[in-house]
Amino acid sequence: QVQLVESGGGLVQPGGSLRLSCAASGSIFSINAMGWYRQPPGKERELVAIITSGGSTNYEDSVKGRFTISRDNAKNTVYLQMNGLKPEDTAVYYCNAELLKYGSDWFGDYWGQGTQVTVSS
């Protein structure tokens, strides 16, 4: 069994900051990329940021310069520091990990349960 558990969401005023965390646990042999996605109300899920096991990052254009993704490989944890939040950042945020379980021959995609981020005055 593998679990991804997110934390850190909530309500914040425009211009404020939040830090999301996502810890992967269970029978994990190796993790490749980890990322954050979001699904705004009534819209499709979209990629926000991704980080490889080597630390290379990529961001969706609207969050560049405001959001920072990082990871702690020893803790199997990925973070998303969100600064300068805007109302349009309101969404359910999901973490994702491409990982290899013990006893498996291939990497699979695993998802957290989602955490709500609401940016409103």
Side-chain angles (χ1 to χ4, degrees):
Q1 280 285 55
V2 171
Q3 272 193 312
L4 273 64
V5 179
E6 298 131 339
S7 60
L11 172 65
V12 64
Q13 292 187 341
S17 298
L18 282 175
R19 188 188 193 216
L20 305 183
S21 300
C22 173
S25 63
S27 185
I28 300 170
F29 179 76
S30 178
I31 303 179
N32 276 347
M34 302 184 81
W36 288 95
Y37 291 70
R38 66 186 178 187
Q39 187 164 15
K43 296 186 178 180
E44 304 262 321
R45 191 176 297 190
E46 62 182 10
L47 174 66
V48 176
I50 194 166
I51 184 168
T52 68
S53 57
S56 296
T57 59
N58 196 23
Y59 296 90
E60 194 269 329
D61 285 346
S62 70
V63 308
K64 285 180 181 177
R66 300 188 297 124
F67 291 10
T68 302
I69 190 170
S70 61
R71 65 191 280 176
D72 184 334
N73 291 331
K75 295 181 180 179
N76 289 341
T77 299
V78 63
Y79 306 95
L80 186 68
Q81 178 66 43
M82 305 185 292
N83 299 328
L85 282 160
K86 304 175 181 180
E88 51 264 43
D89 294 317
T90 295
V92 178
Y93 283 70
Y94 298 90
C95 75
N96 170 270
E98 183 187 42
L99 61 86
L100 179 67
K101 292 171 56 177
Y102 280 102
S104 291
D105 295 324
W106 58 82
F107 284 80
D109 260 342
Y110 293 82
W111 294 88
Q113 79 285 359
T115 185
Q116 177 69 47
V117 171
T118 302
V119 184
S120 175
S121 54

